[in-house]
Amino acid sequence: QVQLVESGGGLVQPGKSLRLSCVASGFTLDHYAIGWFRQAPGQERVGVSCFGNTDNVPYYADSVKGRFTVSRDNAKNTVFLQMNDLKPEDTAVYYCAALSTSAAAGSMCRIVPLLADGMAHWGKGTLVTVSL
């Protein structure tokens, strides 16, 4: 019954903003590493922004740093991704994922996409399309 559910995606124009949410159930997020990942058409899934469970400083991919902000509400078992100044290259399916194994924020974003199925909990994804 462990589940992650993303929401908030949609179609937006370049320069606009979206806020994504990921709600966890069946476990509590405060002891998990958790992050946002995205997969553009024809591309590999990559880390965007992650919290580790050994540090409290989030990691941001260079492509989104200064535009995206990750936050969490442990009481609501929810993690957010505020996406500002969206660009066409941000178009992708956005996923959240959680890992119980100890991991720093940067390691979470780098390694989780490489793990075999079942090693991390993944949501179903929400589509973000940035286009005129």
Side-chain angles (χ1 to χ4, degrees):
Q1 65 177 6
V2 172
Q3 191 174 20
L4 297 168
V5 180
E6 305 95 335
S7 63
L11 172 63
V12 297
Q13 299 177 70
K16 298 293 186 178
S17 298
L18 282 176
R19 190 192 194 202
L20 306 183
S21 299
C22 173
V23 180
S25 60
F27 66 101
T28 55
L29 283 178
D30 57 337
H31 296 300
Y32 281 70
I34 189 163
W36 289 96
F37 305 79
R38 69 186 184 187
Q39 187 166 20
Q43 303 296 315
E44 298 293 325
R45 191 176 300 182
V46 297
V48 176
S49 183
C50 296
F51 286 108
N53 54 9
T54 62
D55 200 351
N56 59 7
V57 180
Y59 164 89
Y60 296 95
D62 288 343
S63 58
V64 307
K65 197 164 189 176
R67 299 188 296 120
F68 291 11
T69 303
V70 66
S71 61
R72 64 197 300 170
D73 185 339
N74 287 339
K76 295 183 177 179
N77 240 21
T78 303
V79 63
F80 305 95
L81 186 67
Q82 178 67 44
M83 306 186 295
N84 297 327
D85 191 24
L86 283 161
K87 304 175 182 298
E89 51 263 43
D90 296 318
T91 296
V93 177
Y94 284 72
Y95 302 87
C96 63
L99 184 69
S100 60
T101 303
S102 295
S107 296
M108 175 71 177
C109 264
R110 294 193 330 270
I111 299 302
V112 165
L114 305 177
L115 298 178
D117 292 346
M119 294 295 100
H121 302 295
W122 288 91
K124 295 175 293 185
T126 185
L127 176 63
V128 173
T129 302
V130 185
S131 179
L132 294 171

